[in-house]
Amino acid sequence: MFRQDVAILSVSALTEQLRYKIEQTFPFVWVRGEIANYKVTSAGHIYFSLKDRDAQLQCVWFRGQQSALRKGASFDPLTGEVYENSAPALELSEGLEVLCAGQISIYAVRGQYQMIVELVQASGEGAQALAFEKLKQRLAAAGYFALERKRQLPRNPVKIALLTSPTGAAIHDFLKLAAPRGYGSQIRLYPVMVQGNEAVKSIVSAFALANAQAWADVIVLIRGGGATEDLRVFNDESVATAVFTSTLPVVAGIGHEIDTCLTDMTADVRAATPSHAAELLWQHKNVLFQKIDELEMSLQYMIEQKFRRVVQTVEANVRALQWHSPLQRVQRGDEQCIMLQQRLFASIGRLIAERTYRLQLAGQKLPDLMRGHLERYTHVLEKYETALHAYDPNTPLQRGYAFVQTKDGATLRSIGQTHAGENLQIVLHDGSLEVSVENVFAKKG
Amino acid sequence: MPDQVKNDVMSSSFEVSLDRLQEIVTQLEKGDISLDMGLQLYKEGMLCARSCKEQLQKARHEISVWQNGEETPFEQQIANICGVVAES
């Protein structure tokens, strides 16, 4: 049935929409499969199918993307990061199992979905890398790389179990760097194979032997640099486990500085190279010589200081002793006597002078003082005399006053003391009158 | 210094001598010991230093190889491999 409201798409439009959707959904995927229908065009593009038992996927690998094929490249299966190495270029051929990475898209002309390949990796290699990652994660989870289980190396170890090949570059480098270091250790070499099929077994049994003997202070496992493939032994679980379970501490120096393997990561101490392992184990003799020299100088300094202090103490005591000697005391007594005498004379002279002066001063003051006293007393006498005059009964008589006495000489002060007819005497300044009282009148009012 | 001490010092291992030297310096640093004692320690310390230096000068790593259940010297091989013995 025809429907007006539904948009009708052209084949191209539909295909375009599908292409957009599918490219958004699978911008970069890894696919594993077996190569079939392998064809290289004259332009250099490669066409093939990836197939497994039940399905197949069309793939195109354009020439521009094939640099990896030609130069040889590797990739990190976790991050997808591609880096070049020296591995031989991959030869693609019918039936080869590979890992392809790229975008899924639609080839509109044929209405067919396909993968636009960017990278091709031999499946085994990728599987190996993935297996390595899985193993690494498993060992990490089991605590192989845990920092808290790492043991400290003994300082200047004297017994070393050296696990390496007796003919490799590693032992050469190690011993060369060891020679000027430490102060004479015993190095027992346990020859092991460091590559090849027997290597894992030989390393694991050497670990077992060294641990069983328990002779060494530390186990040193070293191997010189090599291709990634050569160092594979040191990514083996059994080797890592031998390191992990070793009762003796382990130093591992595998390959070059950039090489890190599971054995390195498991070891108590990771040396970057075999030479570095020797540097980690022992101090350079020059450092030790310097240390001894420094201690020797300290010793010299200390004893000199000690002598200096003792000499100072002796000198101080000698001075103290001299101070207390009898001769010194007599001398000091003499000096003191003379000094006291001088002081005595000086003070007596001073005393006499002072007293004389004071006497003179007093002598000068005495007449003045006496005169003062006399004047004061004269003045007082005069005052008393004047006062006395004031009280003389004759003085008022001079001014015309008189007083009256009875015959027996008593002074009359009131009219009550007399009566009419009595004879009285009136005293004046120049004589007296004898009178008789005629009448007595009391004061009125 | 008694001969016994002297012999002891000269026959001690490098590490023991170095530790003893360090200990003597620390003891002298404290300064609360008599001159006699200090002098004795000084002599012993100098002897330790001498012993350390001599031992260090003479020190060589001994290298052996453990193979087929027995230990054998490895000197010749080492000389061949890297000339360590010849050099030092």
Side-chain angles (χ1 to χ4, degrees):
Chain A
M1 187 183 290
F2 182 77
R3 292 200 38 194
Q4 284 281 353
D5 56 337
V6 174
I8 296 169
L9 296 169
S10 67
V11 175
S12 298
L14 173 65
T15 309
E16 184 52 29
Q17 279 187 23
L18 281 172
R19 192 186 63 79
Y20 180 76
K21 275 227 143 104
I22 211 160
E23 282 183 357
Q24 289 292 306
T25 315
F26 302 103
F28 191 85
V29 287
W30 286 95
V31 183
R32 187 202 310 279
E34 202 175 283
I35 293 178
N37 309 320
Y38 181 72
K39 258 183 292 179
V40 184
T41 65
S42 55
H45 305 314
I46 298 172
Y47 293 90
F48 58 94
S49 304
L50 274 184
K51 66 169 194 177
D52 58 19
R53 214 182 56 192
D54 301 316
Q56 59 174 298
L57 169 71
Q58 296 301 317
C59 298
V60 55
W61 197 7
F62 295 115
R63 187 183 162 80
Q65 301 280 356
Q66 291 168 15
S67 59
L69 175 69
R70 269 192 274 281
K71 288 181 195 160
S74 188
F75 69 100
D76 185 317
L78 281 190
T79 61
E81 188 189 358
V82 179
Y83 49 91
E84 293 188 356
N85 64 12
S86 58
L90 183 62
E91 291 286 335
L92 298 188
S93 59
E94 283 285 322
L96 181 71
E97 193 175 81
V98 290
L99 269 177
C100 289
Q103 187 180 41
I104 305 297
S105 185
I106 283 180
Y107 182 45
V109 180
R110 294 177 67 172
Q112 184 178 293
Y113 76 93
Q114 65 178 11
M115 175 182 241
I116 299 167
V117 176
E118 287 172 38
L119 286 167
V120 180
Q121 196 84 51
S123 168
E125 212 174 286
Q128 227 172 57
L130 283 172
F132 169 78
E133 270 313 309
K134 272 188 186 160
L135 178 60
K136 189 164 132 186
Q137 281 167 14
R138 191 153 57 77
L139 298 189
Y144 276 46
F145 317 137
L147 288 179
E148 56 269 21
R149 65 160 281 277
K150 305 266 182 203
R151 288 163 290 195
Q152 287 248 319
L153 291 186
R155 193 170 63 107
N156 281 302
V158 284
K159 289 175 180 173
I160 318 291
L162 180 62
L163 274 59
T164 192
S165 158
T167 53
I171 192 169
H172 174 273
D173 293 348
F174 179 82
L175 291 177
K176 191 159 187 163
L177 269 284
R181 287 182 158 70
Y183 38 81
S185 299
Q186 295 175 50
I187 301 168
R188 183 183 281 179
L189 172 66
Y190 294 78
V192 294
M193 276 173 268
V194 289
Q195 67 188 74
N197 294 336
E198 295 298 309
V200 170
K201 206 175 125 194
S202 109
I203 291 171
V204 169
S205 50
F207 261 99
L209 181 60
N211 273 301
Q213 287 180 340
W215 166 86
D217 300 323
V218 59
I219 293 177
V220 179
L221 175 63
I222 50 172
R223 192 233 189 269
T228 313
E229 180 60 23
D230 293 340
L231 299 179
R232 210 189 53 201
V233 170
F234 298 94
N235 280 328
D236 187 275
E237 186 176 356
S238 313
V239 174
T241 304
V243 173
F244 180 62
T245 54
S246 171
T247 48
L248 299 173
V250 179
V251 181
I254 313 294
H256 297 302
E257 284 189 53
I258 50 155
D259 300 319
T260 308
C261 54
L262 298 180
T263 305
D264 271 340
M265 291 161 73
T266 312
D268 293 293
V269 175
R270 188 216 161 200
T273 58
S275 308
H276 185 222
E279 289 171 342
L280 288 176
L281 286 176
W282 300 287
Q283 282 182 299
H284 199 283
K285 278 185 182 175
N286 287 345
V287 176
L288 293 168
F289 272 124
Q290 190 182 353
K291 191 174 176 183
I292 298 165
D293 282 343
E294 276 167 10
L295 285 170
E296 210 175 45
M297 282 192 287
S298 296
L299 206 59
Q300 200 79 43
Y301 175 76
M302 293 297 158
I303 203 71
E304 276 168 15
Q305 280 285 96
K306 192 140 205 80
F307 266 117
R308 205 166 298 138
R309 272 201 300 276
V310 168
V311 168
Q312 278 168 1
T313 313
V314 168
E315 280 173 353
N317 282 329
V318 165
R319 277 199 299 275
L321 207 59
Q322 281 171 347
W323 179 258
H324 291 295
S325 81
L327 186 64
Q328 281 266 343
R329 286 174 88 159
V330 169
Q331 275 178 1
R332 273 204 309 284
D334 274 358
E335 280 166 14
Q336 209 168 10
C337 274
I338 291 165
M339 202 178 67
L340 283 174
Q341 204 177 24
Q342 283 169 350
R343 274 173 63 188
L344 194 63
F345 288 156
S347 55
I348 284 174
R350 258 202 320 277
L351 197 67
I352 290 170
E354 189 199 353
R355 290 292 148 92
T356 310
Y357 173 72
R358 278 169 69 180
L359 219 57
Q360 280 172 351
L361 214 60
Q364 282 168 1
K365 273 185 179 171
L366 201 58
D368 288 348
L369 282 172
M370 282 306 289
R371 204 162 31 248
H373 273 297
L374 282 175
E375 275 172 7
R376 233 179 0 260
Y377 287 128
T378 309
H379 181 68
V380 169
L381 270 175
E382 280 170 358
K383 246 167 67 184
Y384 285 149
E385 202 179 0
T386 312
L388 213 57
H389 272 296
Y391 290 112
D392 182 358
N394 291 318
T395 306
L397 301 187
Q398 295 282 352
R399 295 202 299 271
Y401 291 97
F403 61 86
V404 181
Q405 284 180 324
T406 58
K407 268 190 198 160
D408 44 11
T411 303
L412 215 64
R413 289 178 183 270
S414 162
I415 56 171
Q417 286 175 273
T418 190
H419 51 80
E422 188 181 19
N423 286 333
L424 297 171
Q425 203 169 18
I426 297 171
V427 181
L428 295 170
H429 79 96
D430 51 355
S432 59
L433 304 173
E434 211 173 273
V435 291
S436 169
V437 177
E438 296 234 343
N439 288 308
V440 178
F441 306 105
K443 218 185 233 178
K444 287 179 187 156
Chain B
M1 183 184 324
D3 283 351
Q4 183 58 40
V5 177
K6 199 169 173 175
N7 291 341
D8 283 354
V9 170
M10 292 314 280
S11 63
S12 293
S13 73
F14 174 84
E15 199 157 25
V16 169
S17 292
L18 189 63
D19 285 350
R20 178 67 186 144
L21 178 55
Q22 179 78 66
E23 191 186 311
I24 286 170
V25 170
T26 312
Q27 231 172 320
L28 277 173
E29 269 168 354
K30 282 187 194 158
D32 55 356
I33 44 172
S34 67
L35 183 64
D36 259 7
M37 188 65 187
L39 217 52
Q40 258 182 39
L41 285 174
Y42 168 75
K43 282 183 191 165
E44 193 190 336
M46 291 308 271
L47 210 58
C48 285
R50 206 183 88 197
S51 158
C52 281
K53 281 183 185 173
E54 282 177 9
Q55 287 191 60
L56 203 52
Q57 233 128 31
K58 282 189 287 189
R60 299 279 181 277
H61 296 304
E62 275 175 36
I63 302 151
S64 63
V65 59
W66 189 275
Q67 220 159 12
N68 306 323
E70 59 172 1
E71 189 169 31
T72 49
F74 197 55
E75 301 296 333
Q76 197 48 52
Q77 284 98 316
I78 293 307
N80 293 343
I81 287 171
C82 55
V84 166
V85 173
E87 252 176 33
S88 52

